[in-house]
Amino acid sequence: MKTFLLFIDDCYGAEAEKVALTGLLIPTNSYAELRRQFYQLLSKKISPTPTTIQTPPELHGCDLLRNESDEEKLRILKGVKDLVLSNSIRIHRTCIYETDKIIKIFSGDTNGPLSACWLYFISGLDPILKDILVIPVFDFVDKEKIIKLSGMIKSADIIRESGHNDLVSIKNSKNIIGEVFYADSGHSIFIQATDLISYLLHSQECVATGSSTSQFKKQVADIAKELLPAFINVK
C-alpha cells in the first residue's frame, strides 16, 4: 500500500466569506525528486550569482514576492502548477461558505466553519483511503484549531479501537497515519506549494464570481483552470 504525505493549507476568503482547505498528496517515494524540482524552480533566488548561495524567500500566495514583478510572480505560479501536473500530484479541496445557516449552527464557536470544512475534507478522502496510507501535515495553527483538527481524527481512532467501528462515519480513517502533524510553512516547501495552489484556486473562484476583476487575478485564474485534471474526484 502506497504512503502519501498530505500537505494542507487553510484559506479564509477576503473577497468571499468562506473557509477552504486545500491538500496536495505527495508520494513519499517521490519526495526527494519533487523537492529537487521545487528548488529548481527557485534556482535563481537560491544562487543569484555563481559564487552565492542564499535561502529563497518563503512563498505565500496572498503576499507573493512582494517586491518583484507580476511576470515573476506568474512564473512561480505557473511553475508550481506544472510541478503538480507533470508529476500527477493529486489535489483535494473543500470549501464552506459562511451562510446564515452555517453561522447559526456554529454560533459561539469561532472555529465552527473550519470544523465543518475539515469533516467534509476528510470525508471526501474516504474513497481513496481504502487503497493508500495518508500522513496529514497541516500548516501550523493555534492550539484551538489543533484541538478541532487532530481531535476529530483521534475521536475516530478511539471509537474504532473500542470495538465500535460501525459508528465511525469515515470508514477508512484507519489509514490516516497520526492525528495530524503540523509544520511551519517557512520551513516546509510543500506547505508553501499547497499555499500557492490554494491561492490559484481561490483567485479562480473570485474571478468567476466577479468579486475580483484585476488583470493580474484574471491571469492567475487562467493558470488555475489547468489544474482541474489533478483533483482526486476527476478521472
Side-chain angles (χ1 to χ4, degrees):
M1 189 174 284
K2 289 186 177 180
T3 302
F4 292 79
L5 291 160
L6 175 60
F7 290 93
I8 308 165
D9 174 77
D10 57 332
C11 170
Y12 302 86
E15 296 94 339
E17 292 298 322
K18 69 179 181 183
V19 178
L21 293 174
T22 303
L24 290 185
L25 280 162
I26 305 295
T28 56
N29 62 352
S30 303
Y31 188 95
E33 171 57 20
L34 294 171
R35 178 180 58 202
R36 184 193 67 79
Q37 292 180 33
F38 182 90
Y39 281 128
Q40 189 173 49
L41 176 64
L42 299 175
S43 60
K44 291 181 180 179
K45 302 183 187 308
I46 293 171
S47 185
T49 70
T51 58
T52 304
I53 299 176
Q54 61 188 25
T55 302
E58 182 178 351
L59 301 179
H60 273 299
C62 62
D63 191 26
L64 181 59
L65 302 174
R66 181 181 300 178
N67 298 319
E68 303 209 24
S69 66
D70 285 354
E71 289 74 16
E72 177 62 7
K73 294 174 184 177
L74 291 170
R75 184 188 75 83
I76 294 295
L77 291 169
K78 287 177 182 176
V80 172
K81 177 264 297 180
D82 290 340
L83 177 70
V84 167
L85 294 177
S86 63
N87 291 285
S88 299
I89 295 172
R90 308 312 301 271
I91 299 170
H92 183 43
R93 181 173 170 88
T94 301
C95 297
I96 291 288
Y97 284 84
E98 296 186 36
T99 62
D100 290 341
K101 184 177 181 179
I102 289 291
I103 292 171
K104 184 177 180 180
I105 291 172
F106 294 103
S107 177
D109 183 355
T110 55
N111 289 313
L114 174 63
S115 297
C117 195
W118 180 235
L119 176 60
Y120 284 118
F121 184 86
I122 296 299
S123 298
L125 284 174
D126 202 40
I128 67 169
L129 282 172
K130 68 179 186 297
D131 300 316
I132 64 174
L133 299 173
V134 168
I135 303 170
V137 184
F138 208 100
D139 192 4
F140 191 77
V141 293
D142 61 52
K143 187 174 181 179
E144 287 188 9
K145 290 179 181 177
I146 289 174
I147 292 170
K148 298 287 185 182
L149 299 168
S150 295
M152 187 180 297
I153 305 301
K154 183 179 179 182
S155 294
D157 291 342
I158 291 170
I159 293 169
R160 184 177 55 253
E161 298 307 327
S162 67
H164 297 284
N165 192 52
D166 56 313
L167 299 180
V168 179
S169 59
I170 304 167
K171 298 304 179 186
N172 297 300
S173 63
K174 65 183 181 297
N175 287 339
I176 297 175
I177 307 302
E179 294 84 1
V180 183
F181 297 96
Y182 299 88
D184 185 330
S185 61
H187 302 283
S188 173
I189 59 172
F190 286 113
I191 288 290
Q192 292 179 44
T194 306
D195 182 287
L196 294 185
I197 294 299
S198 175
Y199 174 73
L200 283 165
L201 297 171
H202 177 68
S203 298
Q204 182 185 17
E205 291 158 5
C206 289
V207 169
T209 58
S211 59
S212 182
T213 58
S214 74
Q215 186 58 36
F216 177 74
K217 278 291 180 72
K218 289 178 180 178
Q219 290 177 285
V220 173
D222 286 340
I223 297 171
K225 290 176 184 176
E226 298 181 47
L227 289 169
L228 180 60
F231 280 79
I232 64 169
N233 57 346
V234 176
K235 297 181 180 180

